[in-house]
Amino acid sequence: MPKSIAELFPQQEILNYLKERKFKPMMGEELYPEVKKQSLKFDILTNKSKTPVTASVHAFNTEAEIGTREAERMAIEAALIKRKMQLKEEDIIALQAPRNEAEKTYLMKEVYNDIENLVQSIRARVEIMRMEVTATGKVTLNENGLNATIDYGVPSENKIANVNWNLETANPIQDMINWRNRLDSAPGRILTSTTILAKILSHPTVVNALFGKNTSRIASVGELNNYLNQLKLPNIYTYDEKYRKEKTDGKGYDKLRYFPENAFVMMPSEPLGETLYGPTAEEIRLNGNPTVDMRTIGKIIAMVYDESLDPVSTWEKAVATAIPSLNCADELFQASIVIN
């Protein structure tokens, strides 16, 4: 019989399990590829533009014009994200003294399911940050005693609010052309919600542009994107995935979207930045453990540990430090569209 529940779940086995586990990819992982760093603080460049500044013609034997470095460094710190679950006393007793091997296997599988769910909760919080940056140019950290906002410097002229495409006099395609023309670089894709896409597809000015007047047809996504491409506009993609957030009273969950339903964003076709993961205190503590191969520690770390308190308790926990970076603030156009 093991002396403790934690002995049933050695740290190295949990690390190996997570290393082999394949989670469903999230859109934010494509827009902000994940990178593990060895620091909690990162420098990112703001006010950086890819539009070239022209050099000047000089007479021979004259000093070169001195350029000005526009980009500024902004220090950001990875956010600490963690969540834990407690094993009930009945489960602790059953795990330490199972009636048979089948019961032991079942109970251990349930613990690993808990670990997966905890890791998924960390991944969800990181995705929330990535999608908030994409839609608004900011990350809001307002929970558990922390109240901070990180502004990544998307220019104010690249933002517009409360665009009303419910009006018959509105012209979504002309709006897109105008917004594209505000950008110095042609966007490579558009991200919005299915709700906003449906508004575009059924809007009279869009239907008339595609099929002529006095038609009851509604355009398909393919037909719309083909027409947009002819106008030198990029394809429209949608993101409607949701997550659940536990209510403050612990009774039930609210279902929320990663990407706001009213958001409409023009962006480059290449990655927008990176998802920067840093070390955790738990990871540093494992550094001196001879039974742990530090090379198997990924971006999110999980563990099972005991506490000798009253009542006796065993906890499952997942933790990470992470923050997205944005390296193309001046290449985004962020609009919010009236839903109703």
Side-chain angles (χ1 to χ4, degrees):
M1 179 185 299
K3 295 180 181 179
S4 69
I5 298 299
E7 289 185 8
L8 284 172
F9 304 94
Q11 185 63 61
Q12 189 59 57
E13 288 190 16
I14 295 175
L15 293 175
N16 292 340
Y17 177 80
L18 292 179
K19 186 176 181 181
E20 297 299 321
R21 181 70 174 87
K22 303 299 182 185
F23 293 98
K24 179 183 176 181
M26 291 178 161
M27 179 175 285
E29 295 169 358
E30 176 189 348
L31 299 179
Y32 303 85
E34 298 185 323
V35 180
K36 181 70 179 282
K37 302 286 187 177
Q38 296 305 312
S39 173
L40 289 175
K41 295 185 178 181
F42 313 102
D43 285 339
I44 63 173
L45 294 178
T46 62
N47 301 326
K48 178 184 178 183
S49 175
K50 293 184 179 179
T51 304
V53 177
T54 182
S56 300
V57 176
H58 290 62
F60 287 104
N61 301 315
T62 60
E63 181 182 358
E65 178 185 42
I66 299 175
T68 300
R69 185 173 287 108
E70 296 176 283
E72 300 173 0
R73 290 189 178 275
M74 181 178 76
I76 58 173
E77 185 170 340
L80 175 62
I81 309 168
K82 55 184 177 180
R83 185 174 174 85
K84 65 180 182 179
M85 295 174 62
Q86 186 177 14
L87 280 172
K88 297 179 181 179
E89 287 184 306
E90 310 92 87
D91 295 329
I92 294 174
I93 294 170
L95 276 165
Q96 288 200 301
R99 289 171 294 184
N100 51 54
E101 195 63 27
E103 182 179 57
K104 177 183 176 181
T105 300
Y106 170 78
L107 291 170
M108 291 186 68
K109 183 178 179 181
E110 288 299 295
V111 172
Y112 277 106
N113 286 340
D114 286 346
I115 290 172
E116 283 195 25
N117 289 334
L118 290 169
V119 170
Q120 289 281 49
S121 71
I122 304 294
R123 296 180 71 236
R125 188 62 185 89
V126 175
E127 184 75 347
I128 293 167
M129 291 193 290
R130 291 187 291 228
M131 290 300 114
E132 186 182 6
V133 173
T134 306
T136 70
K138 299 178 181 180
V139 164
T140 305
L141 306 172
N142 187 9
E143 52 208 84
N144 298 314
L146 179 65
N147 189 354
T149 300
I150 303 172
D151 190 332
Y152 289 79
V154 175
S156 58
E157 60 267 26
N158 288 17
K159 298 183 179 185
I160 189 168
N162 300 320
V163 177
N164 193 346
W165 285 343
N166 296 315
L167 302 174
E168 287 194 14
T169 54
N171 193 328
I173 292 178
Q174 187 59 55
D175 285 340
M176 292 182 221
I177 293 172
N178 294 341
W179 299 340
R180 178 203 61 194
N181 291 342
R182 290 198 201 179
L183 296 171
D184 294 335
S185 304
R189 53 189 161 180
I190 294 171
L191 185 62
T192 191
S193 66
T194 299
T195 300
I196 301 303
L197 178 58
K199 285 183 181 295
I200 299 170
L201 291 171
S202 61
H203 196 280
T205 62
V206 176
V207 174
N208 291 344
L210 268 65
F211 309 120
K213 294 184 178 181
N214 302 319
T215 178
S216 59
R217 289 184 61 180
I218 295 178
S220 69
V221 177
E223 289 170 327
L224 174 63
N225 281 332
N226 285 336
Y227 183 68
L228 293 178
N229 294 163
Q230 294 174 34
L231 299 174
K232 306 301 181 184
L233 289 167
N235 287 352
I236 297 178
Y237 300 91
T238 58
Y239 188 38
D240 299 294
E241 294 293 317
K242 296 179 181 178
Y243 65 94
R244 292 181 300 151
K245 184 174 179 62
E246 192 167 356
K247 294 183 178 180
T248 53
D249 60 5
K251 298 178 181 179
Y253 300 86
D254 291 318
K255 190 175 287 187
L256 304 167
R257 299 172 54 95
Y258 290 113
F259 190 73
E261 188 176 19
N262 67 339
F264 185 95
V265 182
M266 290 181 164
M267 64 184 72
S269 54
E270 63 267 14
L272 309 183
E274 293 179 324
T275 307
L276 303 168
Y277 285 87
T280 65
E282 290 80 359
E283 177 181 338
I284 299 302
R285 178 169 289 182
L286 289 177
N287 198 35
N289 188 334
T291 67
V292 173
D293 181 357
M294 298 298 289
R295 295 170 298 180
T296 60
I297 295 178
K299 297 176 286 291
I300 302 172
I301 189 169
M303 62 203 64
V304 175
Y305 63 95
D306 296 310
E307 285 185 350
S308 300
L309 300 173
D310 184 17
V312 173
S313 58
T314 297
W315 294 92
E316 311 146 335
K317 183 172 78 170
V319 59
T321 57
I323 201 74
S325 69
L326 180 66
N327 60 16
C328 59
D330 67 323
E331 297 178 75
L332 299 181
F333 192 93
Q334 300 167 329
S336 65
I337 312 299
V338 175
I339 295 294
N340 299 318

